[in-house]
Amino acid sequence: MKEGAGTATSAASEQTLQVPVLASQTAIASMGTSFGMFSWICDGTLDLGSYCIQRSMIDGVNLLFLGVLCILLLVGSIRKHYNISIRTRDWLFIVVSICCLLTSIAYFVAGFWNLIAKNDGHSLGSLLLNLVRALVWISFSVSLVLQLSKWIRILNSVWWVAYFSLLSALNIEIISAKGGIQIIDIVQWLANFLLLICAFKNTKQILSQSSQDGYSLSEPLVVKNFENSITGPEEASFLSKLSFSWVGPLLSLGHSKPLVLENIPPLVSENEAKLAYQKFAQAWDSLLREKGSNNTRNLALLVIAKVYLKENISVAIYAFLRTISIVVSPLILYGFVYFATHREENLNEGVFMLVCLIISKVVESLSQRHWFFNSRKSGMRMRSALMVAVYQKQIKLSSLGRRRHSTGEVLNYVAVDAYRTGEFPWWFHLAWSFVLQLFLAIGVLLWIIGSGALFGLIPLLICGFLNVPFAKLLQKCQFQCMVAQDGRLRATSEILNSMKIIKLQSWEEKFKSLIESSRENEFKWLSEAQLKKVYGTLLYWMSPTIVSSAAFFGCLLLGSAPLNASTIFTVLVTLRTMGEPVRMIPEALSAIIQVKVSFDRLNAFLLDDELKDDGIRRYPVMHNVEKSLEIQDGIFSWDPESTINPTLLEINLKVGLGQKIAVCGSVGAGKSSLLYAILGEIPKISGTVDVVGSIAYVSQNAWIQSGTVRDNILYGKPMDTKKYENAINACALDKDINTFNHGDLTEIGQRGLNMSGGQKQRIQLARAVYNDADIYLLDDPFSAVDAHTGATLFNDCVMTALGKKTVILVTHQVEFLSEVDKILVVEGGQITQSGSYEELLKDGMAFERLVNAHKDAISTFGPLNPESQGEVQKADMIESDENYRSNPTKENSKAENSLRGVQLTEEEEKEIGDVGWKPFWDYIFVAKGLLLLVTAIITHCGFLAFQAAATYWLALAIRIPKITSTMLIVVYTVISLTSAVFVYLRSYLAALLGLKASKAFFSGFTNAIFKAPMLFFDSTPVGRILTRASSDMSIVDNDIPFSVIFVIAGGTELVVTIVVMATVTWPVLVVAILVLVATKYVQGYYLSTARELIRINGTTKAPVTNYVSETSLGAVTIRAFRSADRFFQNYLKLVDSDAGLFFYSNATIEWLVLRIEALQNLTLFTAAFLIVLLPNGYVSPGLVGLSLSYALSLTGAQIFFTRWYCNLSNYIISVERIKQFMHIPEEPPAIIEGKRPPSSWPSKGRIELHSLRIKYRPNAPLVLKGITCAFKEGTRVGVVGRTGSGKTTLISALFRLVEPTSGNIIIDGLDICSIGLKDLRMKLSIIPQEPTLFKGSIRTNLDPLGLYSDDEIWGALEKCQLKAVVSSLPNLLDSSVSDEGENWSAGQRQLFCLGRVLLKRNRILVLDEATASIDSATDAVLQRIIRQEFSECTVITVAHRVPTVIDSDMVMVLSFGKLVEYDEPSELLHANSYFSKLVAEYWSSCRRNS
């Protein structure tokens, strides 16, 4: 029983064991059936121990991971929760990604090779496996650079580690069994090892990211450290320099956030302007000693050549290598086509040609990138050196030199000429390397087709010679266009600086027409230049066709070479290498000629006359020296070449230490010239000038820097709080500063536009006081302030704060003369009298006349009893001091100061980030050029179609025996010439589009500027407007039109090239598409940084030109304070800031182009590799030649497209910037039809103010606070008040420079706000506070609109005391007026302004501090003339001098924007009024000083 039971148990057990075995066998059988694909792939067998099956299973795992990755990406895109800041930008990941991409390409090639070579059922399975593996490796490549979230990073890390583990196990198993593995397995194992490293790095980054998230306070530090990691090329490794990887951190930062100026790394010392200038200056001095300043050779050019020769030798080597690599490309194509014809001979030959292609393309790419970058870096150094040299020269320039070179011209030397010389190295190397390339290409052509090439050289020479006159014509057009542009910009600058007077006089139309006429002349030459470029394009595209056709006919006639595929396509590629030199050499020569012109202009400026250091002998202050200043037998002349009429004659002056000297005399007597002689500004003909100690100078026309009030007072010196406060108090600035919202940190606009005349004068006086000099030269500092402030300044500043200093005071205020130690009376350039007040009264007629004129003026105070005056003064002086100090709410657009937290000069507006296609469509729609654009695109497509048809014809027809060689060439020529017609139409339409856009943008910009309210000009620096009118407008004119069409051309050409290549070797399409995707990604990555760099650069150019302009205007003050070095250092920083952006912009574009070239070279190498691997007879040699001829141009096409796309993206920023100023809020219309006043209006001149309230901006406080009064017709109304009380705002309201917030102004029953601005302003006359003259003649300044006869003009000159001066000039009324009237004194300029109103003779006249800069005697004469000539007119006089308003019919007293008194002066004088206090103060100073 037991045995039977045991047997049964054993049988049952065996049966039980057999069930799973049978089940497994059944399962395996069913697997073999269901997974028939595996059996098909792996040689028809399914064995889990098979390496093929195991490898396929690993592929399955990879596909599973890939599916999960796709799901995560899909979920993330739906939720849109990706954090862009954690995208991988590590260069290890980028390199490994490229390796994965190459592995993928290898699998593609292997799969298709097996398919072509074997062509059986198993080869299809092999193809499928290889395609799957290629897909997996592409997935690895993408996953490395696109890690959008933490979970994707984790998945990638797990995937890479799992794949490495599985593959390593399989490879170890194979090696142990077989003793070796295949090469492709080794390659992918190595790539897998790199993936493993990336997985570990990914894990580390995930952990560090988690720790950062846990401690968010560390983030700013991380960002800061990251920004600090941005370094220059000098600190980078060799590979980093070679690949421009050193600029990677900047691109990464720019991609993560919009860049600001602070993010831009500073230049290294060898690229800084300081070192560049030092080298230039040393070489300049050396050559100047050798050659002499009279040498006819261009010293500036010789110096640049000497300094930068060595670094340009390396650039020349790069250019040479690039030229050689370009020229060998036709030979490589010839070798490929030959190999395709004789494929059966040797495969090694094909591999050798592929290696040669790779080497030549790598050398071409690297050498060209470093040529471009290093030549521009060298150019940047040249540019910086010359910009600094011009600036330094400007500070040293003599008065004679300043007359030869106006401020506008100096700006051009910096902004135009110096920038142009910066392009010199690039153009120079381009010229000689293209000449070499042309000759080498001709050599290649002769080698390939022999004597037949001579037939092609004849039309080539003809085309080349045709280019020469064409280039000359184009250069002439460009030169004339530049000349016209210079004239327009000079006029624009002058108009912008004088916009207030233009608006007051309603001259907008006149000056706008002046700008437009300049623009018309400029536009005429611009049109010619653009249309000539169209003919140049036609010549460029026709010449290869004509030359190639002639060469083919030469081969046919002479039989020098067979017309086969290798000959034809090699000739075409060779001609393509010749085409660019033929087109660019004339352009390069033209650019070099322009650079030579710039060098000549710069050379002439740098060699011009400088101030002589030997003019003045300077000594330090000694204890035993009593002399402070001495001039002996001094003769000085502004024109040293003409000694007939010297400016100052026989000047003998000795000033003791601590003396107070006053200089007085009539207008134009030579008072200011005497101060200039002491400063050394005016050339000394003979005599000696000894100065002991340092000098501080206060100019007659206040020179204020852009910056804060504090900056202007400290003037570069360290802050000493006690001394600073003393200076402020002494110059009566304490109350002003206390009421500024930003205190002494209040920004002062350009030329002090948001400060009153008095405030500007007191700020520069405080600057002088704080400077703590030994000698003070004060040129009429009290003319711009009221009597009380003038007395305060004289007593507290001149006599107290400067009590121990030597002071020489030029003044017209006779009341101060009795207090000084000595008075000098200047007449006709000579010191006619010298002595104390009492001595001169006894001895001198001239001085007596001045004093008598002053006494006549103050005699009108007669009714006021001196005793009661004294009582008033004693009782109310403290109250007056507290209540009447100036309110900073400066009239005429000074409201920015009253906006809490907002400074006056607004930050320049700029777009941030990618604004997409909006600016481009703005460009098209503003120009109304959509039809032109569409037509241009269609014509270009036609051009490309005919070009492709011509080359296809050659590739296909060459195999057809029936087609003769003659027919082949004729058809090719006809098709190609037809394509030239289309390219001509394309370029012509692009030029028309550009010209339309130029007109539209200029017109819109100019209209907007002239219609802008005055507040816009007060809050916008002139340089900011000029930058848009010059460089931005130039880009719209010259660069954008062809950039648009080049982008379209480059994009379509790229697509056509890839399509042609794909028709021959279709697998290349896969690589090409991937490369295009990668290119688009890299391009976008670059543009996010480049766009901001260009925008920031747009804001760094204006400060450079502004600083040059500011320095030019204040050169005398800068030299007087001996602060030229400090200004020089500040200028170096501005130049370096601008150069840094240029440097990094160039580095980033080369970074981009190098990577795009590398990517497109992958497509080229793949195409060449496939051609080598193709079996014999698979593709005809003609199609091989066609494919490779297009493939060789692929990289060029991609770079062309990328460069112009990026250029357009950068250029279009100029459209943004101009368009910002095309939408400025407009002031009210000039004329309102239907509401025009009668021609006789105003017939009486009655003015009524009803509850007039004025504020400059909606959120600003009121400046005028409800003024109600009436100015009767024919009366003389004096308006008085402290500085900032609202006087000039009242005048601004009368002329509607600012619109009333509420209330109204009625003139002869008509509300002035109901009529047009022109109708109003043409009927009012004004002599403004700051006299303005324009460059031109005396006639055009007195009568800009040409309304009056010569007799009328002479009559006006006689009345304003200028007839004698003008009559003595050789050209009379046509005598010149220089920039801003610099060749006339301030007083004479004011008299010219008086002449203007004497001509107009309107019923209402406004005098705004009209006689502030003239002496009392002249003032008395003019007041008499005004009374006579305008006896029936309403005259409103705003004045600081009490005598000017004392004889008015009515006096209006303003205080803090309120009307405090309005009555007859006699009534106000007898009452205890504000006006009587003002008169009392003035009378007190007069009594004290008489």
Side-chain angles (χ1 to χ4, degrees), residues 805-1095:
K805 307 290 185 180
T806 303
V807 179
I808 299 178
L809 170 69
V810 171
T811 184
H812 292 136
Q813 272 75 8
V814 178
E815 58 267 27
F816 302 134
L817 297 182
S818 61
E819 297 285 324
V820 300
D821 300 312
K822 186 190 285 188
I823 300 167
L824 306 178
V825 179
V826 180
E827 275 192 307
Q830 290 182 288
I831 299 176
T832 56
Q833 292 176 275
S834 172
S836 67
Y837 186 78
E838 291 78 11
E839 290 170 354
L840 293 185
L841 276 179
K842 293 174 185 175
D843 301 336
M845 292 298 294
F847 182 69
E848 194 175 357
R849 281 199 301 272
L850 286 171
V851 174
N852 288 339
H854 174 64
K855 286 182 176 178
D856 290 342
I858 65 171
S859 64
T860 50
F861 302 156
L864 185 64
N865 187 315
E867 292 177 10
S868 64
Q869 178 269 331
E871 290 170 8
V872 168
Q873 182 188 352
K874 289 174 188 174
D876 299 312
M877 188 58 73
I878 296 171
E879 180 190 349
S880 165
D881 248 3
E882 290 179 357
N883 292 340
Y884 280 79
R885 281 294 175 91
S886 58
N887 176 3
T889 311
K890 165 66 178 91
E891 311 84 34
N892 191 18
S893 328
K894 311 308 185 262
E896 256 78 356
N897 277 342
S898 59
L899 294 177
R900 178 70 63 180
V902 178
Q903 294 279 28
L904 173 101
T905 306
E906 297 170 350
E907 195 71 29
E908 182 162 5
E909 182 185 351
K910 67 181 180 73
E911 302 288 344
I912 295 174
D914 185 5
V915 292
W917 288 87
K918 184 182 179 298
F920 174 76
W921 290 119
D922 284 342
Y923 177 80
I924 299 299
F925 290 132
V926 168
K928 298 178 181 176
L930 187 60
L931 181 62
L932 285 172
L933 179 68
V934 172
T935 314
I937 293 170
I938 293 168
T939 54
H940 181 71
C941 291
F943 162 70
L944 284 178
F946 277 98
Q947 283 274 300
T951 48
Y952 263 107
W953 165 258
L954 289 175
L956 298 174
I958 203 167
R959 294 189 299 173
I960 303 171
K962 291 181 181 180
I963 296 175
T964 63
S965 296
T966 305
M967 185 180 177
L968 179 81
I969 297 165
V970 168
V971 172
Y972 163 73
T973 306
V974 169
I975 297 172
S976 295
L977 289 176
T978 307
S979 72
V981 174
F982 281 90
V983 81
Y984 169 78
L985 288 172
R986 179 207 76 182
S987 300
Y988 180 73
L989 291 167
L992 286 183
L993 172 63
L995 293 172
K996 278 192 77 174
S998 292
K999 263 191 174 179
F1001 275 96
F1002 180 81
S1003 175
F1005 174 76
T1006 306
N1007 287 336
I1009 292 298
F1010 276 94
K1011 289 179 180 177
M1014 199 60 218
L1015 181 60
F1016 168 76
F1017 298 99
D1018 287 346
S1019 59
T1020 308
V1022 168
R1024 199 176 289 176
I1025 306 172
L1026 274 178
T1027 303
R1028 285 164 172 80
S1030 55
S1031 56
D1032 288 323
M1033 200 68 228
S1034 182
I1035 286 170
V1036 171
D1037 286 344
N1038 299 301
D1039 298 324
I1040 293 181
F1042 287 101
S1043 298
V1044 170
I1045 209 66
F1046 285 163
V1047 168
I1048 294 165
T1052 49
E1053 188 178 344
L1054 192 63
V1055 172
V1056 168
T1057 302
I1058 291 169
V1059 169
V1060 170
M1061 289 167 63
T1063 57
V1064 179
T1065 49
W1066 69 265
V1068 83
L1069 199 60
V1070 177
V1071 179
I1073 291 169
L1074 290 171
V1075 164
L1076 285 176
V1077 171
T1079 299
K1080 181 71 177 75
Y1081 171 74
V1082 173
Q1083 202 167 277
Y1085 180 64
Y1086 154 81
L1087 273 175
S1088 55
T1089 299
R1091 198 180 290 112
E1092 297 308 317
L1093 286 175
I1094 295 296
R1095 283 175 179 148

Side-chain angles (χ1 to χ4, degrees), residues 1445-1477:
V1445 297
I1446 201 70
D1447 65 341
S1448 301
D1449 300 316
M1450 300 290 285
V1451 170
M1452 167 188 271
V1453 183
L1454 295 177
S1455 176
F1456 294 100
K1458 293 181 179 178
L1459 176 64
V1460 290
E1461 288 173 357
Y1462 182 58
D1463 206 339
E1464 294 177 12
S1466 57
E1467 293 296 325
L1468 292 175
L1469 285 170
H1470 284 97
N1472 185 14
S1473 65
Y1474 290 108
F1475 181 64
S1476 67
K1477 293 170 189 174

Side-chain angles (χ1 to χ4, degrees), residues 1209-1358:
S1209 298
N1210 294 335
Y1211 291 153
I1212 214 74
I1213 291 167
S1214 291
V1215 172
E1216 279 179 15
R1217 287 161 55 79
I1218 292 174
K1219 203 157 182 295
Q1220 285 166 359
F1221 279 23
M1222 287 171 66
H1223 297 289
I1224 307 163
E1226 293 183 5
E1227 63 180 0
I1231 293 171
I1232 301 174
E1233 294 298 339
K1235 291 190 177 180
R1236 301 199 65 176
S1239 58
S1240 59
W1241 180 88
S1243 56
K1244 298 175 182 176
R1246 180 182 176 84
I1247 303 171
E1248 299 171 30
L1249 311 178
H1250 297 290
S1251 301
L1252 183 65
R1253 289 180 174 81
I1254 298 285
K1255 62 169 69 173
Y1256 288 101
R1257 289 210 174 162
N1259 54 347
L1262 288 170
V1263 182
L1264 292 184
K1265 305 169 183 177
I1267 293 178
T1268 301
C1269 67
F1271 302 162
K1272 294 179 182 177
E1273 54 271 28
T1275 57
R1276 292 169 51 78
V1277 179
V1279 181
V1280 294
R1282 306 291 182 196
T1283 300
S1285 59
K1287 303 186 297 294
T1288 306
T1289 300
L1290 179 65
I1291 305 306
S1292 296
L1294 188 61
F1295 282 83
R1296 288 179 66 194
L1297 290 181
V1298 58
E1299 295 293 312
T1301 305
S1302 64
N1304 48 30
I1305 301 174
I1306 309 295
I1307 297 180
D1308 281 5
L1310 190 64
D1311 187 346
I1312 64 168
C1313 291
S1314 65
I1315 61 173
L1317 291 180
K1318 184 177 180 180
D1319 287 334
L1320 169 67
R1321 292 170 183 170
M1322 286 296 286
K1323 298 294 184 176
L1324 306 178
S1325 294
I1326 185 169
I1327 303 176
Q1329 184 174 359
E1330 295 179 1
T1332 304
L1333 296 185
F1334 298 91
K1335 187 177 176 69
S1337 66
I1338 293 171
R1339 186 197 311 278
T1340 56
N1341 269 279
L1342 286 171
D1343 182 22
L1345 305 181
L1347 301 176
Y1348 305 102
S1349 67
D1350 282 8
D1351 291 339
E1352 289 174 303
I1353 294 172
W1354 280 114
L1357 286 171
E1358 185 175 11

Side-chain angles (χ1 to χ4, degrees), residues 153 201-215 218:
R153 280 172 175 260
K201 190 157 189 177
N202 231 358
T203 306
K204 185 179 177 182
Q205 287 177 353
I206 291 165
L207 293 172
S208 65
Q209 184 73 34
S210 300
S211 64
Q212 284 180 27
D213 291 341
Y215 186 56
S218 67

Side-chain angles (χ1 to χ4, degrees), residues 85-113:
S85 66
I86 61 168
R87 287 188 182 183
T88 304
R89 293 284 170 252
D90 195 305
W91 285 110
L92 171 66
F93 285 73
I94 302 291
V95 171
V96 177
S97 175
I98 292 169
C99 292
C100 293
L101 188 64
L102 292 171
T103 308
S104 170
I105 292 168
Y107 273 116
F108 269 115
V109 172
F112 285 109
W113 174 258

Side-chain angles (χ1 to χ4, degrees), residues 407-641:
T407 301
E409 286 172 318
V410 175
L411 280 177
N412 268 348
Y413 298 148
V414 170
V416 178
D417 294 305
Y419 270 83
R420 192 180 291 144
T421 56
E423 292 294 316
F424 172 62
W426 191 81
W427 282 111
F428 173 73
H429 292 295
L430 186 88
W432 74 257
S433 64
F434 273 5
V435 170
L436 177 63
Q437 183 177 323
L438 186 60
F439 280 106
L440 289 175
I442 290 170
V444 170
L445 205 59
L446 287 167
W447 180 75
I448 293 168
I449 59 175
S451 55
L454 297 174
F455 281 77
L457 291 180
I458 294 167
L460 180 67
L461 288 171
I462 292 169
C463 290
F465 283 123
L466 281 174
N467 261 324
V468 174
F470 170 76
K472 284 185 177 178
L473 285 170
L474 188 59
Q475 184 196 344
K476 180 190 173 187
C477 293
Q478 288 173 337
F479 177 76
Q480 293 294 343
C481 189
M482 280 177 57
V483 170
Q485 187 187 44
D486 283 349
R488 172 175 65 83
L489 292 177
R490 187 203 59 74
T492 305
S493 174
E494 187 175 51
I495 288 165
L496 291 174
N497 284 320
S498 308
M499 188 55 82
K500 181 179 177 182
I501 185 67
I502 289 170
K503 286 191 174 295
L504 287 171
Q505 303 282 6
S506 195
W507 289 340
E508 292 101 326
E509 286 183 14
K510 167 68 181 175
F511 283 95
K512 185 182 164 195
S513 66
L514 179 69
I515 295 289
E516 286 173 345
S517 64
S518 297
R519 175 64 177 180
E520 279 175 22
N521 185 34
E522 180 188 353
F523 191 78
K524 180 185 76 174
W525 292 108
L526 174 69
S527 304
E528 279 198 39
Q530 297 294 69
L531 293 175
K532 278 181 174 55
K533 285 181 185 177
V534 175
Y535 293 112
T537 305
L538 178 64
L539 190 63
Y540 172 67
W541 284 108
M542 277 180 65
S543 55
T545 302
I546 296 167
V547 173
S548 59
S549 301
F552 294 152
F553 272 116
C555 291
L556 191 62
L557 292 172
L558 300 177
S560 58
L563 280 181
N564 54 24
S566 58
T567 303
I568 288 173
F569 285 102
T570 305
V571 168
L572 290 178
V573 172
T574 306
L575 289 174
R576 194 175 290 157
T577 63
M578 295 165 70
E580 195 175 14
V582 168
R583 180 175 66 90
M584 289 299 294
I585 288 170
E587 196 172 328
L589 292 174
S590 173
I592 289 170
I593 289 167
Q594 287 183 13
V595 169
K596 176 66 166 60
V597 170
S598 287
F599 269 117
D600 288 340
R601 280 157 55 96
L602 291 167
N603 189 64
F605 177 70
L606 294 173
L607 286 172
D608 213 325
D609 190 47
E610 293 185 4
L611 287 168
K612 304 292 188 295
D613 290 335
D614 58 356
I616 297 177
R617 296 185 300 200
R618 300 181 186 275
Y619 303 98
V621 177
M622 302 285 190
H623 290 295
N624 56 349
V625 177
E626 293 298 321
K627 179 180 72 175
S628 186
L629 169 71
E630 184 173 10
I631 303 176
Q632 291 183 342
D633 302 321
I635 299 176
F636 305 88
S637 175
W638 285 115
D639 188 1
E641 295 169 2

